Structure formats: structure tokens, C-alpha cells
Amino acid sequence: MACGSGRTSQGERETVGALRSGVTVVVPVYMSGATLPELISRIGTVLAPLGDYEVILVDDGSPDATWPTVAQLAAQTPDVRGLRLGRNFGQHSALVAGVRAATYSRTVTLDDDLQNPPEEIPRMLAAMEEQGADVIYGVPEKTEHAFYRRLASRITRTALGSGLGVDSAPELSSFRAFRTDIRDAFSGDLGTGVSLDALLTWGSSRFGSIKVRHDPRTVGASNYTFFKLLRFAIDTTTGYSTVPLRLASLLGLLAGGLGVLVLLWAILRPMITGESVPGFPFLASIIAIFSGAQMLTLGIIGEYLARMHFRIMRKPTYVVAEETSD
């Protein structure tokens, strides 16, 4: 394959024809040129005996020489395709770009750091059939991430579970296998801050999981920090659920109830004990409680308004700046 170019957004994407029987592997790529040759080799070794397959490498605006590596792999390997996004849109936007470009009936997503072993893909595909599921997650038997990363991931999964009502949310992972035609449920303009896991729930409720191996990282370091994962959890919950607004309403109700109790205490205490309510400390604490509740509620409402603002601006989920072609 040779390199071609053409800047297109997701709304201008050519419609892929009828899906063929086989497997598409989508890999979001960011500053990972060193691991890609081994990853492609291992994927080919695993999937070649199973039938037709393709690998779509989506370069999410890497600032280094990752794209030339992707282009070289695509030129050397007929089953590899490459997409380069115009800038860094985020891992899930890159995933959506790859999923929309898939041409086979089943899609597998995995990370570019070799921590998701391609050798587990056949087991995940078999589990889809055995469990009658449309989406299967490969859950690590033992994660190799640091404690802060595991904590942040747990917060993210909890947010997804409470915000999206996905029963399998505690078992979500970046290692997924699903029916490609689920993408029809999110074929329109999605805006920014997307979550592939949330989008998959639009097309199916049949989720499952299996335990898989999780290898230690041997090259580079993770680009996800605790705060980035926390930000992703907030974006996902406010983007696909009204749970935070309901929590804000509940918080307001509780704060109002507390205010009524405080008022009754301030009125009844002098009548019962003859002692007045303490002045400044009491007043300061009440102000702090109600101010905090108001600021939290305004912050939650602000998150929703910000998302509406970006949707009105019609910012694209991704822009494909260049792609490899035959």
C-alpha cells in the first residue's frame, strides 16, 4: 500500500459497503512506533489461520515519527491500513474513526503498547459465540498498571456503570470484540468527548466478558494519568447520562432539608435551653455548606452547557488528514 491523503471529517466519510466475513483489528496509535512492528507480526500470526482479517492503525496526531512507521507497515503488509488524524482528538475518537472504516463483520480493539496480547483474540471471538453476546470485553486476570492507574480506572468504570446503566461496566477494558454492525447505532455526528463504550450501549445490551492475560509494558510509559482518566469519566457521564443532574437535584434537596433543620434548631434551642445559637462559627459553617452545594451544582450544570456549546459549534469527532491506500 502507498500513502494517500485527503482531509475528511467523520460526516464526510465514504459509506463502507456490506460487511464481509472476517475480523478487523483497530489500534489507536500515539507515539508508539517502536511497538507497532511486533504488534502487527503477532496479530498476523494469530489471525491468518482464522481467515480474512485487516488491521487499521489510527495515528491520533502523534508528534513524533509514528506515522512514517504506520505508512511503512501498510506498504509492506497488504492487510494493514493506516489513518492519520489531523491532530490529537483522543483515544476514543481514534477508535470511532477506525471502527467506521472497518470492512469485516467482527471488530477487535486493543492498545498499541503490547499489554493486550493478540494471542487472546481467538478466545474473545469464541466467547462472543458461546455467550451469545454482541460485545465481549477482555478483562485482565491481573493488571500490570500502577496503583494510581488502577484506582483511576476503577473510578472511570464506576462512573460508566452508574451513568450508563451498563451491567458489565465494572469489567470494561480497552480490549474489546464486537459485531461491527453495532456502529450503525452511532453513524451520525457525535461531537467531541466521545466514549466508544457508551456508544456500544446504543446498539446492544448483550455484553459479556472473559479473563485474559495482561502483559507488562516493556516500551515507553502510559499517556493516561489519574486526572486524564478522571476527566474522561466526567466527560462520559455528563455526555451520555443525566445522572449528575439528578445528583445535583438531590444535593439541593438535602441542602434545603439541612437548612430547615438548622432554622428549627435556631428557633427552638433558646426556647428549650435558654441558650442562644453560637454566632460566627455557626454562620460560617452554614455559609460554607450551602456555598459548596451551590458551586457543585453550578459546576455540574456548566459541564452540560459546555457540551451543548461544543455541539452547537459542530466540532468534529475526528478529522482524517491522511490515509494509506492501495
Side-chain angles (χ1 to χ4, degrees), residues 31-311:
M31 298 179 63
S32 55
T35 61
L36 293 182
E38 180 181 349
L39 179 62
I40 295 301
S41 175
R42 290 170 61 181
I43 291 175
T45 300
V46 170
L47 293 185
L50 301 182
D52 293 335
Y53 77 95
E54 65 179 349
V55 182
I56 301 178
L57 302 175
V58 185
D59 181 10
D60 189 22
S62 299
D64 60 0
T66 295
W67 175 247
T69 301
V70 171
Q72 182 180 11
L73 289 170
Q76 295 173 346
T77 311
D79 299 311
V80 175
R81 299 161 56 195
L83 301 176
R84 182 178 69 82
L85 304 189
R87 63 172 178 82
N88 181 248
F89 285 89
Q91 183 186 50
H92 284 251
S93 293
L95 284 169
V96 171
V99 170
R100 284 178 165 170
T103 60
Y104 289 111
S105 58
R106 293 172 295 176
T107 297
V108 175
T109 69
L110 50 79
D111 290 338
D112 58 357
D113 54 13
L114 300 177
Q115 291 191 278
N116 299 143
E119 292 77 14
E120 298 284 8
I121 293 177
R123 292 185 56 233
M124 295 175 63
L125 297 176
M128 286 181 63
E129 303 299 327
E130 295 170 359
Q131 299 184 24
D134 294 327
V135 183
I136 286 289
Y137 286 98
V139 182
E141 295 176 345
K142 180 181 178 182
T143 181
E144 297 294 335
H145 293 311
F147 171 76
Y148 80 90
R149 175 71 185 274
R150 295 197 301 271
L151 176 61
S153 297
R154 174 59 62 179
I155 293 174
T156 301
R157 290 192 290 267
T158 301
L160 286 170
S162 61
L164 304 176
V166 181
D167 292 338
S168 62
E171 297 182 332
L172 296 181
S173 77
S174 59
F175 203 2
R176 316 169 184 83
F178 53 91
R179 290 190 299 103
T180 306
D181 56 11
I182 293 179
R183 70 185 179 190
D184 295 340
F186 49 91
S187 58
D189 182 17
L190 301 173
T192 59
V194 298
S195 165
L196 180 60
D197 299 304
L199 295 174
L200 291 175
T201 66
W202 290 7
S204 176
S205 60
R206 298 194 300 174
F207 285 68
S209 64
I210 63 170
K211 295 293 184 181
V212 297
R213 193 176 84 241
H214 190 257
D215 294 337
R217 178 186 290 269
T218 58
V219 178
S222 174
N223 294 304
Y224 269 113
T225 63
F226 177 88
F227 292 104
K228 284 184 178 180
L229 285 170
L230 185 60
R231 177 73 254 178
F232 173 69
I234 294 173
D235 286 343
T236 300
T237 308
T238 57
Y240 300 93
S241 170
T242 59
V243 168
L245 286 176
R246 295 175 183 173
L247 291 177
S249 299
L250 179 60
L251 178 62
L253 181 62
L254 293 175
L258 177 61
V260 171
L261 293 176
V262 170
L263 177 61
L264 292 175
W265 182 45
I267 295 175
L268 296 177
R269 180 174 175 176
M271 297 173 58
I272 297 174
T273 65
E275 298 177 358
S276 62
V277 177
F280 177 76
F282 174 78
L283 181 61
S285 62
I286 294 301
I287 291 175
I289 291 173
F290 282 91
S291 298
Q294 290 174 350
M295 293 302 296
L296 177 60
T297 302
L298 289 174
I300 293 174
I301 295 174
E303 288 288 337
Y304 282 89
L305 290 176
R307 297 190 69 86
M308 293 173 61
H309 171 69
F310 287 125
R311 289 301 299 271

